[in-house]
Structure formats: structure tokens, C-alpha cells
């Protein structure tokens, strides 16, 4: 037999006070916050990334973290922004990636040396796109490259990425593999 204790957590959660600016996590239906009202996120408030595809990225039952923009949209729903929450949470991740020199793949946007990482628009200087001189930035449009974060400044919203270090590491690994294959007395072909 069920008792009130069986529903204690749900009851307490449904009575919690939610204010504008709070970052909350809920389940995608509308967005079930397990509170006194559901949340609604407009498509424009999901992501900064122009390649973001809502149908592929968000499914019913998924948990989603968003910032409360308004506690009532006129129909009793809370207005939420995943984009705003990403801004708050992403900078910590980006700073951590910068400190740990984490290598991550990014897709270069059509606008030249621009890429999105954790939903934040980042810039890749032409001198850091590759380990070699880049004559034409257009050859990188739409291409996915590995980068490291070299600047992550939340105050100025400045994110600078570099593909040079990752490209150098990859090239060094390939060289090391070739060297490992070399044996004393072996005959090899190469270009001078």
C-alpha cells in the first residue's frame, strides 16, 4: 500500500521556489521540471551553434539544463534558455580544457576560421589552423580539425582555439611510427 512517504521527494520538489536566473535541469517533454510549472524552450534559445539540429540532438525523456528567463509565459509555463545555461556552464569547461591542453574536434564554420566549442563561438587565427602556413582559409570551410583552447575569457566572451599543436602532435606520432619500423641494415625507399 502506498503512503505519503512514497511521494515525499516529488512533493517537496514540486513546491521548490524557482526564480529568474536559476539554472535548472529537467526532462524533455515540454520540460518537466518536477515543479509547480513546466518549462518551455524556444528553438532560438537552444544553441548558438548554427549546425545545431534539434531533431537529432534532443529527444523526449532526455535531461536538459537551462536557465530560467521568466517564471510565467502567460500560460503558466516557465520560459527557459538552454543557450543561456550553456554560456554559464561552458566557460568552466573551456577553462578546464585550456588548463589541461585537451585536444577536441571542431568543425570550421563557413565564416572562415570560426568554430563552435561547447556552444560558444571561437576564433582560430590563420597562423594556428595547421602546423603549416595556410594560404587560403576557404580550404578549411566545413572541415573538422582537432584543436586546443588557448584563450577562454568569459568576461570578454573571447574564445581562441589552435589546431597547430594537435597537428604537430599527430605529425610527430606518424614520424615516431615510421622510425619504429626502421631497423639497422633495412633497405627503405624515401624522398629527398
Amino acid at each position: 500500500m502506498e503512503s505519503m512517504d512514497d511521494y515525499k521527494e516529488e512533493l517537496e520538489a514540486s513546491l521548490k521556489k524557482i526564480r529568474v536566473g536559476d539554472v535548472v535541469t529537467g526532462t524533455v517533454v515540454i520540460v518537466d521540471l518536477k515543479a509547480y510549472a513546466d518549462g518551455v524552450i524556444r528553438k532560438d534559445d537552444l544553441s548558438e551553434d548554427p549546425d545545431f539540429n534539434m531533431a537529432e540532438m534532443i529527444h523526449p525523456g532526455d535531461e536538459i539544463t537551462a536557465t530560467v528567463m521568466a517564471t510565467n509565459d502567460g500560460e503558466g509555463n516557465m520560459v527557459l534558455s538552454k543557450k543561456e545555461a550553456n554560456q554559464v556552464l561552458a566557460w568552466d569547461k573551456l577553462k578546464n580544457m585550456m588548463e589541461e591542453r585537451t585536444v577536441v574536434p571542431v568543425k570550421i564554420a563557413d565564416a572562415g576560421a570560426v568554430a563552435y566549442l561547447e556552444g560558444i563561438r571561437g576564433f582560430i587565427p590563420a597562423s594556428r589552423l595547421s602546423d603549416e602556413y595556410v594560404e587560403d582559409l576557404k580550404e578549411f570551410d566545413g572541415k573538422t580539425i582537432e584543436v586546443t583552447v588557448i584563450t577562454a575569457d568569459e568576461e570578454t566572451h573571447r574564445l581562441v582555439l589552435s589546431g597547430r599543436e594537435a597537428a604537430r602532435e599527430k605529425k610527430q606520432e606518424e614520424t615516431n611510427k615510421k622510425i619504429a619500423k626502421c631497423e639497422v641494415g633495412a633497405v627503405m625507399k624515401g624522398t629527398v
Side-chain angles (χ1 to χ4, degrees), residues 21-25 41 45-48 64-69 80-93 118-120 154:
D22 287 354
V23 176
V24 294
T25 300
I41 303 175
D45 287 326
L46 283 169
S47 178
E48 291 270 353
I64 193 166
T65 299
T67 299
V68 177
M69 304 305 287
L80 307 173
S81 173
K82 183 175 183 332
K83 186 167 36 175
E84 191 75 25
N86 285 351
Q87 292 282 328
V88 171
L89 302 172
W91 287 106
D92 290 334
K93 287 182 184 177
E118 295 295 327
I120 306 291
E154 183 176 6

PDB file of all heavy atoms in Angstrom, residues 21-25 41 45-48 64-69 80-93 118-120 154:
ATOM      1  N   GLY A  21      16.871  33.498 -13.586  1.00  0.00           N
ATOM      2  CA  GLY A  21      18.320  33.405 -13.470  1.00  0.00           C
ATOM      3  C   GLY A  21      18.808  32.081 -12.923  1.00  0.00           C
ATOM      4  O   GLY A  21      19.977  31.746 -13.068  1.00  0.00           O
ATOM      5  N   ASP A  22      17.914  31.307 -12.296  1.00  0.00           N
ATOM      6  CA  ASP A  22      18.303  29.990 -11.789  1.00  0.00           C
ATOM      7  C   ASP A  22      18.624  29.060 -12.962  1.00  0.00           C
ATOM      8  O   ASP A  22      17.974  29.118 -13.999  1.00  0.00           O
ATOM      9  CB  ASP A  22      17.170  29.352 -10.971  1.00  0.00           C
ATOM     10  CG  ASP A  22      16.964  29.992  -9.612  1.00  0.00           C
ATOM     11  OD1 ASP A  22      17.768  30.870  -9.236  1.00  0.00           O
ATOM     12  OD2 ASP A  22      15.985  29.624  -8.928  1.00  0.00           O
ATOM     13  N   VAL A  23      19.632  28.205 -12.787  1.00  0.00           N
ATOM     14  CA  VAL A  23      19.937  27.166 -13.763  1.00  0.00           C
ATOM     15  C   VAL A  23      19.289  25.895 -13.243  1.00  0.00           C
ATOM     16  O   VAL A  23      19.549  25.466 -12.121  1.00  0.00           O
ATOM     17  CB  VAL A  23      21.464  26.975 -13.944  1.00  0.00           C
ATOM     18  CG1 VAL A  23      21.747  25.820 -14.881  1.00  0.00           C
ATOM     19  CG2 VAL A  23      22.099  28.257 -14.464  1.00  0.00           C
ATOM     20  N   VAL A  24      18.400  25.303 -14.048  1.00  0.00           N
ATOM     21  CA  VAL A  24      17.626  24.136 -13.631  1.00  0.00           C
ATOM     22  C   VAL A  24      17.819  22.999 -14.622  1.00  0.00           C
ATOM     23  O   VAL A  24      18.199  23.207 -15.762  1.00  0.00           O
ATOM     24  CB  VAL A  24      16.115  24.483 -13.522  1.00  0.00           C
ATOM     25  CG1 VAL A  24      15.864  25.483 -12.410  1.00  0.00           C
ATOM     26  CG2 VAL A  24      15.560  25.002 -14.834  1.00  0.00           C
ATOM     27  N   THR A  25      17.562  21.763 -14.169  1.00  0.00           N
ATOM     28  CA  THR A  25      17.640  20.591 -15.032  1.00  0.00           C
ATOM     29  C   THR A  25      16.297  19.891 -14.997  1.00  0.00           C
ATOM     30  O   THR A  25      15.712  19.723 -13.927  1.00  0.00           O
ATOM     31  CB  THR A  25      18.751  19.637 -14.547  1.00  0.00           C
ATOM     32  OG1 THR A  25      19.997  20.324 -14.589  1.00  0.00           O
ATOM     33  CG2 THR A  25      18.834  18.396 -15.432  1.00  0.00           C
ATOM     34  N   ILE A  41      11.172  25.921 -23.937  1.00  0.00           N
ATOM     35  CA  ILE A  41      12.368  26.496 -24.550  1.00  0.00           C
ATOM     36  C   ILE A  41      12.076  26.722 -26.024  1.00  0.00           C
ATOM     37  O   ILE A  41      11.742  25.774 -26.740  1.00  0.00           O
ATOM     38  CB  ILE A  41      13.591  25.564 -24.409  1.00  0.00           C
ATOM     39  CG1 ILE A  41      13.864  25.243 -22.957  1.00  0.00           C
ATOM     40  CG2 ILE A  41      14.820  26.209 -25.056  1.00  0.00           C
ATOM     41  CD1 ILE A  41      14.991  24.240 -22.749  1.00  0.00           C
ATOM     42  N   ASP A  45      16.427  29.529 -28.428  1.00  0.00           N
ATOM     43  CA  ASP A  45      17.099  29.520 -27.136  1.00  0.00           C
ATOM     44  C   ASP A  45      17.759  28.188 -26.811  1.00  0.00           C
ATOM     45  O   ASP A  45      18.134  27.935 -25.676  1.00  0.00           O
ATOM     46  CB  ASP A  45      16.113  29.889 -26.020  1.00  0.00           C
ATOM     47  CG  ASP A  45      15.762  31.360 -26.037  1.00  0.00           C
ATOM     48  OD1 ASP A  45      16.633  32.177 -26.390  1.00  0.00           O
ATOM     49  OD2 ASP A  45      14.614  31.698 -25.704  1.00  0.00           O
ATOM     50  N   LEU A  46      17.905  27.318 -27.824  1.00  0.00           N
ATOM     51  CA  LEU A  46      18.536  26.022 -27.591  1.00  0.00           C
ATOM     52  C   LEU A  46      20.051  26.065 -27.744  1.00  0.00           C
ATOM     53  O   LEU A  46      20.776  25.487 -26.935  1.00  0.00           O
ATOM     54  CB  LEU A  46      17.952  24.962 -28.524  1.00  0.00           C
ATOM     55  CG  LEU A  46      16.578  24.456 -28.109  1.00  0.00           C
ATOM     56  CD1 LEU A  46      15.956  23.617 -29.204  1.00  0.00           C
ATOM     57  CD2 LEU A  46      16.666  23.662 -26.818  1.00  0.00           C
ATOM     58  N   SER A  47      20.568  26.721 -28.789  1.00  0.00           N
ATOM     59  CA  SER A  47      22.007  26.695 -29.028  1.00  0.00           C
ATOM     60  C   SER A  47      22.446  27.855 -29.903  1.00  0.00           C
ATOM     61  O   SER A  47      21.685  28.333 -30.743  1.00  0.00           O
ATOM     62  CB  SER A  47      22.406  25.379 -29.703  1.00  0.00           C
ATOM     63  OG  SER A  47      23.777  25.359 -29.991  1.00  0.00           O
ATOM     64  N   GLU A  48      23.699  28.274 -29.724  1.00  0.00           N
ATOM     65  CA  GLU A  48      24.330  29.290 -30.576  1.00  0.00           C
ATOM     66  C   GLU A  48      24.857  28.655 -31.854  1.00  0.00           C
ATOM     67  O   GLU A  48      25.069  29.326 -32.848  1.00  0.00           O
ATOM     68  CB  GLU A  48      25.530  29.923 -29.845  1.00  0.00           C
ATOM     69  CG  GLU A  48      25.170  30.783 -28.671  1.00  0.00           C
ATOM     70  CD  GLU A  48      24.944  32.225 -29.037  1.00  0.00           C
ATOM     71  OE1 GLU A  48      25.193  32.600 -30.198  1.00  0.00           O
ATOM     72  OE2 GLU A  48      24.504  32.968 -28.162  1.00  0.00           O
ATOM     73  N   ILE A  64      17.706  18.002 -19.667  1.00  0.00           N
ATOM     74  CA  ILE A  64      18.222  19.220 -20.269  1.00  0.00           C
ATOM     75  C   ILE A  64      18.421  20.257 -19.168  1.00  0.00           C
ATOM     76  O   ILE A  64      17.623  20.342 -18.245  1.00  0.00           O
ATOM     77  CB  ILE A  64      17.250  19.727 -21.367  1.00  0.00           C
ATOM     78  CG1 ILE A  64      17.889  20.784 -22.219  1.00  0.00           C
ATOM     79  CG2 ILE A  64      15.954  20.200 -20.785  1.00  0.00           C
ATOM     80  CD1 ILE A  64      17.117  21.053 -23.497  1.00  0.00           C
ATOM     81  N   THR A  65      19.519  20.984 -19.242  1.00  0.00           N
ATOM     82  CA  THR A  65      19.820  22.029 -18.274  1.00  0.00           C
ATOM     83  C   THR A  65      19.622  23.374 -18.953  1.00  0.00           C
ATOM     84  O   THR A  65      20.118  23.588 -20.058  1.00  0.00           O
ATOM     85  CB  THR A  65      21.267  21.900 -17.760  1.00  0.00           C
ATOM     86  OG1 THR A  65      21.409  20.622 -17.124  1.00  0.00           O
ATOM     87  CG2 THR A  65      21.598  22.988 -16.755  1.00  0.00           C
ATOM     88  N   ALA A  66      18.863  24.253 -18.296  1.00  0.00           N
ATOM     89  CA  ALA A  66      18.551  25.545 -18.889  1.00  0.00           C
ATOM     90  C   ALA A  66      18.445  26.607 -17.803  1.00  0.00           C
ATOM     91  O   ALA A  66      18.296  26.287 -16.631  1.00  0.00           O
ATOM     92  CB  ALA A  66      17.237  25.459 -19.665  1.00  0.00           C
ATOM     93  N   THR A  67      18.521  27.865 -18.215  1.00  0.00           N
ATOM     94  CA  THR A  67      18.376  28.992 -17.302  1.00  0.00           C
ATOM     95  C   THR A  67      16.934  29.498 -17.366  1.00  0.00           C
ATOM     96  O   THR A  67      16.359  29.591 -18.448  1.00  0.00           O
ATOM     97  CB  THR A  67      19.336  30.132 -17.685  1.00  0.00           C
ATOM     98  OG1 THR A  67      20.664  29.643 -17.606  1.00  0.00           O
ATOM     99  CG2 THR A  67      19.195  31.325 -16.757  1.00  0.00           C
ATOM    100  N   VAL A  68      16.374  29.824 -16.211  1.00  0.00           N
ATOM    101  CA  VAL A  68      15.021  30.363 -16.144  1.00  0.00           C
ATOM    102  C   VAL A  68      15.070  31.825 -16.580  1.00  0.00           C
ATOM    103  O   VAL A  68      15.758  32.644 -15.991  1.00  0.00           O
ATOM    104  CB  VAL A  68      14.438  30.253 -14.716  1.00  0.00           C
ATOM    105  CG1 VAL A  68      13.050  30.877 -14.647  1.00  0.00           C
ATOM    106  CG2 VAL A  68      14.418  28.803 -14.260  1.00  0.00           C
ATOM    107  N   MET A  69      14.319  32.142 -17.660  1.00  0.00           N
ATOM    108  CA  MET A  69      14.279  33.510 -18.170  1.00  0.00           C
ATOM    109  C   MET A  69      13.039  34.253 -17.658  1.00  0.00           C
ATOM    110  O   MET A  69      13.056  35.453 -17.484  1.00  0.00           O
ATOM    111  CB  MET A  69      14.282  33.499 -19.704  1.00  0.00           C
ATOM    112  CG  MET A  69      15.472  32.747 -20.303  1.00  0.00           C
ATOM    113  SD  MET A  69      17.070  33.331 -19.721  1.00  0.00           S
ATOM    114  CE  MET A  69      17.201  34.877 -20.589  1.00  0.00           C
ATOM    115  N   LEU A  80      12.466  29.085 -20.532  1.00  0.00           N
ATOM    116  CA  LEU A  80      13.827  28.637 -20.267  1.00  0.00           C
ATOM    117  C   LEU A  80      14.736  28.911 -21.461  1.00  0.00           C
ATOM    118  O   LEU A  80      14.275  29.058 -22.580  1.00  0.00           O
ATOM    119  CB  LEU A  80      13.837  27.134 -19.979  1.00  0.00           C
ATOM    120  CG  LEU A  80      12.892  26.619 -18.893  1.00  0.00           C
ATOM    121  CD1 LEU A  80      12.919  25.102 -18.856  1.00  0.00           C
ATOM    122  CD2 LEU A  80      13.265  27.199 -17.548  1.00  0.00           C
ATOM    123  N   SER A  81      16.049  28.945 -21.203  1.00  0.00           N
ATOM    124  CA  SER A  81      17.036  29.099 -22.275  1.00  0.00           C
ATOM    125  C   SER A  81      18.201  28.157 -22.029  1.00  0.00           C
ATOM    126  O   SER A  81      18.946  28.312 -21.060  1.00  0.00           O
ATOM    127  CB  SER A  81      17.544  30.540 -22.335  1.00  0.00           C
ATOM    128  OG  SER A  81      18.608  30.641 -23.254  1.00  0.00           O
ATOM    129  N   LYS A  82      18.340  27.177 -22.906  1.00  0.00           N
ATOM    130  CA  LYS A  82      19.491  26.273 -22.834  1.00  0.00           C
ATOM    131  C   LYS A  82      20.746  27.022 -23.260  1.00  0.00           C
ATOM    132  O   LYS A  82      21.825  26.818 -22.728  1.00  0.00           O
ATOM    133  CB  LYS A  82      19.260  25.050 -23.731  1.00  0.00           C
ATOM    134  CG  LYS A  82      20.389  24.026 -23.661  1.00  0.00           C
ATOM    135  CD  LYS A  82      20.048  22.800 -24.477  1.00  0.00           C
ATOM    136  CE  LYS A  82      21.054  21.693 -24.437  1.00  0.00           C
ATOM    137  NZ  LYS A  82      22.415  22.013 -24.202  1.00  0.00           N
ATOM    138  N   LYS A  83      20.589  27.932 -24.205  1.00  0.00           N
ATOM    139  CA  LYS A  83      21.707  28.732 -24.703  1.00  0.00           C
ATOM    140  C   LYS A  83      22.331  29.536 -23.558  1.00  0.00           C
ATOM    141  O   LYS A  83      23.548  29.587 -23.422  1.00  0.00           O
ATOM    142  CB  LYS A  83      21.200  29.662 -25.801  1.00  0.00           C
ATOM    143  CG  LYS A  83      22.247  30.435 -26.505  1.00  0.00           C
ATOM    144  CD  LYS A  83      21.806  31.121 -27.798  1.00  0.00           C
ATOM    145  CE  LYS A  83      20.456  31.681 -27.883  1.00  0.00           C
ATOM    146  NZ  LYS A  83      20.206  32.412 -29.138  1.00  0.00           N
ATOM    147  N   GLU A  84      21.493  30.130 -22.737  1.00  0.00           N
ATOM    148  CA  GLU A  84      21.968  30.922 -21.597  1.00  0.00           C
ATOM    149  C   GLU A  84      22.688  30.033 -20.584  1.00  0.00           C
ATOM    150  O   GLU A  84      23.743  30.390 -20.070  1.00  0.00           O
ATOM    151  CB  GLU A  84      20.782  31.622 -20.939  1.00  0.00           C
ATOM    152  CG  GLU A  84      21.159  32.666 -19.931  1.00  0.00           C
ATOM    153  CD  GLU A  84      21.660  33.951 -20.554  1.00  0.00           C
ATOM    154  OE1 GLU A  84      21.311  34.265 -21.699  1.00  0.00           O
ATOM    155  OE2 GLU A  84      22.438  34.646 -19.866  1.00  0.00           O
ATOM    156  N   ALA A  85      22.133  28.857 -20.299  1.00  0.00           N
ATOM    157  CA  ALA A  85      22.776  27.925 -19.369  1.00  0.00           C
ATOM    158  C   ALA A  85      24.109  27.451 -19.932  1.00  0.00           C
ATOM    159  O   ALA A  85      25.086  27.310 -19.193  1.00  0.00           O
ATOM    160  CB  ALA A  85      21.866  26.733 -19.081  1.00  0.00           C
ATOM    161  N   ASN A  86      24.149  27.194 -21.258  1.00  0.00           N
ATOM    162  CA  ASN A  86      25.413  26.794 -21.892  1.00  0.00           C
ATOM    163  C   ASN A  86      26.468  27.854 -21.670  1.00  0.00           C
ATOM    164  O   ASN A  86      27.635  27.541 -21.408  1.00  0.00           O
ATOM    165  CB  ASN A  86      25.227  26.573 -23.396  1.00  0.00           C
ATOM    166  CG  ASN A  86      24.511  25.285 -23.716  1.00  0.00           C
ATOM    167  OD1 ASN A  86      24.282  24.457 -22.842  1.00  0.00           O
ATOM    168  ND2 ASN A  86      24.134  25.132 -24.963  1.00  0.00           N
ATOM    169  N   GLN A  87      26.083  29.119 -21.795  1.00  0.00           N
ATOM    170  CA  GLN A  87      27.032  30.214 -21.600  1.00  0.00           C
ATOM    171  C   GLN A  87      27.620  30.157 -20.184  1.00  0.00           C
ATOM    172  O   GLN A  87      28.815  30.320 -19.996  1.00  0.00           O
ATOM    173  CB  GLN A  87      26.349  31.573 -21.811  1.00  0.00           C
ATOM    174  CG  GLN A  87      25.923  31.847 -23.216  1.00  0.00           C
ATOM    175  CD  GLN A  87      27.077  32.255 -24.103  1.00  0.00           C
ATOM    176  OE1 GLN A  87      28.027  32.873 -23.661  1.00  0.00           O
ATOM    177  NE2 GLN A  87      27.006  31.892 -25.364  1.00  0.00           N
ATOM    178  N   VAL A  88      26.754  29.911 -19.211  1.00  0.00           N
ATOM    179  CA  VAL A  88      27.192  29.873 -17.819  1.00  0.00           C
ATOM    180  C   VAL A  88      28.103  28.669 -17.561  1.00  0.00           C
ATOM    181  O   VAL A  88      29.177  28.790 -16.974  1.00  0.00           O
ATOM    182  CB  VAL A  88      25.975  29.820 -16.864  1.00  0.00           C
ATOM    183  CG1 VAL A  88      26.411  29.572 -15.440  1.00  0.00           C
ATOM    184  CG2 VAL A  88      25.158  31.100 -16.974  1.00  0.00           C
ATOM    185  N   LEU A  89      27.669  27.491 -18.021  1.00  0.00           N
ATOM    186  CA  LEU A  89      28.385  26.253 -17.720  1.00  0.00           C
ATOM    187  C   LEU A  89      29.588  26.008 -18.632  1.00  0.00           C
ATOM    188  O   LEU A  89      30.572  25.403 -18.221  1.00  0.00           O
ATOM    189  CB  LEU A  89      27.424  25.064 -17.811  1.00  0.00           C
ATOM    190  CG  LEU A  89      26.200  25.124 -16.894  1.00  0.00           C
ATOM    191  CD1 LEU A  89      25.242  24.002 -17.212  1.00  0.00           C
ATOM    192  CD2 LEU A  89      26.612  25.102 -15.441  1.00  0.00           C
ATOM    193  N   ALA A  90      29.519  26.475 -19.876  1.00  0.00           N
ATOM    194  CA  ALA A  90      30.560  26.169 -20.855  1.00  0.00           C
ATOM    195  C   ALA A  90      31.895  26.807 -20.522  1.00  0.00           C
ATOM    196  O   ALA A  90      32.945  26.199 -20.755  1.00  0.00           O
ATOM    197  CB  ALA A  90      30.120  26.605 -22.248  1.00  0.00           C
ATOM    198  N   TRP A  91      31.886  28.015 -19.997  1.00  0.00           N
ATOM    199  CA  TRP A  91      33.160  28.694 -19.733  1.00  0.00           C
ATOM    200  C   TRP A  91      34.012  27.922 -18.740  1.00  0.00           C
ATOM    201  O   TRP A  91      35.231  27.866 -18.876  1.00  0.00           O
ATOM    202  CB  TRP A  91      32.924  30.133 -19.283  1.00  0.00           C
ATOM    203  CG  TRP A  91      32.478  30.981 -20.430  1.00  0.00           C
ATOM    204  CD1 TRP A  91      31.225  31.452 -20.667  1.00  0.00           C
ATOM    205  CD2 TRP A  91      33.277  31.412 -21.537  1.00  0.00           C
ATOM    206  NE1 TRP A  91      31.201  32.150 -21.850  1.00  0.00           N
ATOM    207  CE2 TRP A  91      32.440  32.152 -22.397  1.00  0.00           C
ATOM    208  CE3 TRP A  91      34.617  31.249 -21.886  1.00  0.00           C
ATOM    209  CZ2 TRP A  91      32.903  32.722 -23.584  1.00  0.00           C
ATOM    210  CZ3 TRP A  91      35.075  31.827 -23.058  1.00  0.00           C
ATOM    211  CH2 TRP A  91      34.228  32.549 -23.898  1.00  0.00           C
ATOM    212  N   ASP A  92      33.386  27.294 -17.742  1.00  0.00           N
ATOM    213  CA  ASP A  92      34.152  26.467 -16.799  1.00  0.00           C
ATOM    214  C   ASP A  92      34.795  25.288 -17.529  1.00  0.00           C
ATOM    215  O   ASP A  92      35.954  24.961 -17.303  1.00  0.00           O
ATOM    216  CB  ASP A  92      33.260  25.958 -15.664  1.00  0.00           C
ATOM    217  CG  ASP A  92      32.835  27.065 -14.722  1.00  0.00           C
ATOM    218  OD1 ASP A  92      33.562  28.077 -14.626  1.00  0.00           O
ATOM    219  OD2 ASP A  92      31.781  26.926 -14.082  1.00  0.00           O
ATOM    220  N   LYS A  93      34.024  24.639 -18.412  1.00  0.00           N
ATOM    221  CA  LYS A  93      34.564  23.518 -19.190  1.00  0.00           C
ATOM    222  C   LYS A  93      35.710  23.991 -20.079  1.00  0.00           C
ATOM    223  O   LYS A  93      36.733  23.321 -20.193  1.00  0.00           O
ATOM    224  CB  LYS A  93      33.479  22.887 -20.064  1.00  0.00           C
ATOM    225  CG  LYS A  93      32.465  22.082 -19.333  1.00  0.00           C
ATOM    226  CD  LYS A  93      31.482  21.470 -20.321  1.00  0.00           C
ATOM    227  CE  LYS A  93      30.374  20.725 -19.639  1.00  0.00           C
ATOM    228  NZ  LYS A  93      29.394  20.201 -20.601  1.00  0.00           N
ATOM    229  N   GLU A 118      31.494  23.713 -27.253  1.00  0.00           N
ATOM    230  CA  GLU A 118      30.572  23.786 -26.113  1.00  0.00           C
ATOM    231  C   GLU A 118      29.511  24.866 -26.349  1.00  0.00           C
ATOM    232  O   GLU A 118      29.065  25.522 -25.419  1.00  0.00           O
ATOM    233  CB  GLU A 118      31.334  24.065 -24.808  1.00  0.00           C
ATOM    234  CG  GLU A 118      32.266  22.972 -24.377  1.00  0.00           C
ATOM    235  CD  GLU A 118      31.559  21.673 -24.021  1.00  0.00           C
ATOM    236  OE1 GLU A 118      30.422  21.719 -23.509  1.00  0.00           O
ATOM    237  OE2 GLU A 118      32.133  20.605 -24.277  1.00  0.00           O
ATOM    238  N   GLY A 119      29.139  25.076 -27.619  1.00  0.00           N
ATOM    239  CA  GLY A 119      28.117  26.062 -27.959  1.00  0.00           C
ATOM    240  C   GLY A 119      28.616  27.494 -27.993  1.00  0.00           C
ATOM    241  O   GLY A 119      27.861  28.415 -28.240  1.00  0.00           O
ATOM    242  N   ILE A 120      29.910  27.701 -27.740  1.00  0.00           N
ATOM    243  CA  ILE A 120      30.498  29.037 -27.732  1.00  0.00           C
ATOM    244  C   ILE A 120      31.258  29.255 -29.036  1.00  0.00           C
ATOM    245  O   ILE A 120      32.028  28.400 -29.469  1.00  0.00           O
ATOM    246  CB  ILE A 120      31.464  29.220 -26.533  1.00  0.00           C
ATOM    247  CG1 ILE A 120      30.781  28.891 -25.207  1.00  0.00           C
ATOM    248  CG2 ILE A 120      32.065  30.621 -26.527  1.00  0.00           C
ATOM    249  CD1 ILE A 120      29.711  29.851 -24.770  1.00  0.00           C
ATOM    250  N   GLU A 154      35.819  34.527 -20.144  1.00  0.00           N
ATOM    251  CA  GLU A 154      34.370  34.656 -20.007  1.00  0.00           C
ATOM    252  C   GLU A 154      33.924  36.112 -19.993  1.00  0.00           C
ATOM    253  O   GLU A 154      32.894  36.455 -20.566  1.00  0.00           O
ATOM    254  CB  GLU A 154      33.916  33.962 -18.716  1.00  0.00           C
ATOM    255  CG  GLU A 154      32.426  33.973 -18.510  1.00  0.00           C
ATOM    256  CD  GLU A 154      32.002  33.199 -17.273  1.00  0.00           C
ATOM    257  OE1 GLU A 154      32.853  32.743 -16.503  1.00  0.00           O
ATOM    258  OE2 GLU A 154      30.778  33.071 -17.096  1.00  0.00           O
TER     259      GLU A 154
END
